[in-house]
Amino acid sequence: MQNRPLRSALYVPAANEKALGKLPTLDMDAVIVDLEDAVHPDTKAAARQTMVRALVGWVERKALVAVRINKLDSIHGMADLKSALEIKPDAILLPKVEAPSAILALSDALADLDADPELRIWAMIETPRAIFNLAQMAELGHHHTARLNCFVTGTNDLMKETGVRDPLQMQPWLMQIVLAAKAGSLSVLDGVHNDFADKPGFETACGLARARGFDGKTLIHPSQIAPANRIFAPDETDLAEAEAIIAAFAMPENSGKAVVNIEGRMVERLHLAMAEKTVIMANQINLANAIAEKN
């Protein structure tokens, strides 16, 4: 799971049985089944039943499946978690995480419920306190028993909590989230683009997120899947450059060299590592596409 592409992560309300039924036909890298903000407090129990009924039989999955539960210490948190485990998700997305203790509490709860050891925790970063505690939370990424695998940015909540009106003014915080995620060997997803009809604006937002180091973007509509997949994937130029770097270091005369000359450009082994990641990602995307075509 750690090496799977996460270019596109589509939020789907757990109460929307029709939308849940369409998931096997869509090409997102991940789906986030939402039991939190997308479900009215009076219909949480019904939404859990709908989620289980719709997804318990979804076996041939190309997409990763995460379930966003309510806060574990809330009235719905534990019931959400138990229902989520019925559909055998790849991750549990915990909202409004502000300190390592929340992640560790969920990890302990999963152990108590005999959850799959490979089940991962994704943490929503969506409050000022979360930004201040990023380093401590990211450190859990180096401890397998903590299960932490990904930071998911909640830009709407960050704007609400801080009073920021222009999303561009959040860039310093977004870069802190990316930096912390990389320090913890975590994946990191950018927040949603609210106007799904604004296709040029969405593509611009994806380009900015990729430039900032995000692995992908959370989405609110299926129409956003294809552009997110395209923008966060290596293009032909990226792949050709990566393959050229790998080939150069593989030449016998460059064996043991820390730096090689490629068409007048000095390339170090750190660039080789980046090139290898690019090729791996391209291969993973090709494999996922082949599986989708087969199904």
Side-chain angles (χ1 to χ4, degrees):
M1 180 176 174
Q2 183 79 12
N3 295 320
R4 290 275 295 271
L6 279 177
R7 300 164 297 168
S8 53
L10 177 68
Y11 282 109
V12 177
N16 191 333
E17 191 162 8
K18 183 178 179 181
L20 294 173
K22 291 182 178 178
L23 291 178
T25 69
L26 301 177
D27 291 328
M28 64 274 157
D29 287 334
V31 57
I32 300 172
V33 183
D34 192 6
L35 286 164
E36 196 218 9
D37 285 347
V39 178
H40 190 277
D42 294 340
T43 62
K44 299 283 190 185
R48 290 193 288 267
Q49 294 173 1
T50 298
M51 174 187 69
V52 172
R53 184 170 59 249
L55 298 181
V56 74
W58 186 18
V59 179
E60 296 294 331
R61 300 174 179 172
K62 184 192 82 168
L64 295 172
V65 176
V67 178
R68 180 162 74 168
I69 64 173
N70 287 271
K71 292 181 70 175
L72 197 60
D73 59 359
S74 71
I75 189 173
H76 296 288
M78 188 55 70
D80 286 351
L81 182 59
K82 290 179 179 178
S83 293
L85 294 181
E86 291 187 48
I87 68 168
K88 301 185 184 305
D90 299 285
I92 300 296
L93 176 56
L94 191 62
K96 298 175 177 62
V97 177
E98 294 187 316
S101 57
I103 298 167
L104 294 172
L106 177 53
S107 180
D108 288 343
L110 290 171
D112 291 342
L113 293 169
D114 293 323
D116 185 338
E118 295 306 312
L119 177 63
R120 291 290 170 255
I121 293 173
W122 293 1
M124 291 288 305
I125 307 300
E126 49 189 339
T127 68
R129 188 181 175 210
I131 299 294
F132 275 106
N133 289 331
L134 278 169
Q136 299 96 305
M137 292 190 289
E139 187 63 25
L140 295 178
H142 296 298
H143 302 278
H144 186 77
T145 54
R147 297 176 182 260
L148 184 63
N149 178 259
C150 182
F151 281 159
V152 180
T153 311
T155 44
N156 285 335
D157 279 273
L158 274 172
M159 292 183 71
K160 175 177 74 70
E161 294 292 330
T162 60
V164 169
R165 296 175 181 270
D166 181 358
L168 291 177
Q169 302 309 314
M170 292 193 294
Q171 179 169 337
W173 306 333
L174 299 178
M175 295 307 303
Q176 287 185 61
I177 296 171
V178 171
L179 188 63
K182 303 305 181 182
S185 298
L186 307 173
S187 299
V188 59
L189 298 176
D190 191 24
V192 300
H193 186 78
N194 296 311
D195 186 357
F196 63 83
D198 176 21
K199 294 181 180 179
F202 176 72
E203 294 201 4
T204 297
C206 286
L208 286 171
R210 188 184 182 196
R212 289 168 179 154
F214 284 96
D215 297 302
K217 195 163 181 68
T218 48
L219 316 176
I220 59 171
H221 194 273
S223 65
Q224 297 176 322
I225 295 172
N229 284 348
R230 171 173 50 81
I231 292 169
F232 283 97
D235 60 23
E236 291 183 2
T237 300
D238 295 331
L239 190 56
E241 180 178 357
E243 290 174 340
I245 292 172
I246 293 170
F249 276 100
M251 296 174 68
E253 61 267 33
N254 291 330
S255 177
K257 288 185 178 179
V259 181
V260 299
N261 182 340
I262 301 179
E263 297 181 354
R265 183 164 64 100
M266 302 308 293
V267 178
E268 302 178 52
R269 286 198 171 269
L270 67 89
H271 298 110
L272 173 62
M274 294 168 64
E276 289 170 342
K277 287 182 180 180
T278 296
V279 171
I280 288 171
M281 183 177 185
N283 290 338
Q284 290 168 340
I285 292 168
N286 290 337
L287 177 60
N289 291 339
I291 292 172
E293 291 176 4
K294 181 179 178 181
N295 293 334

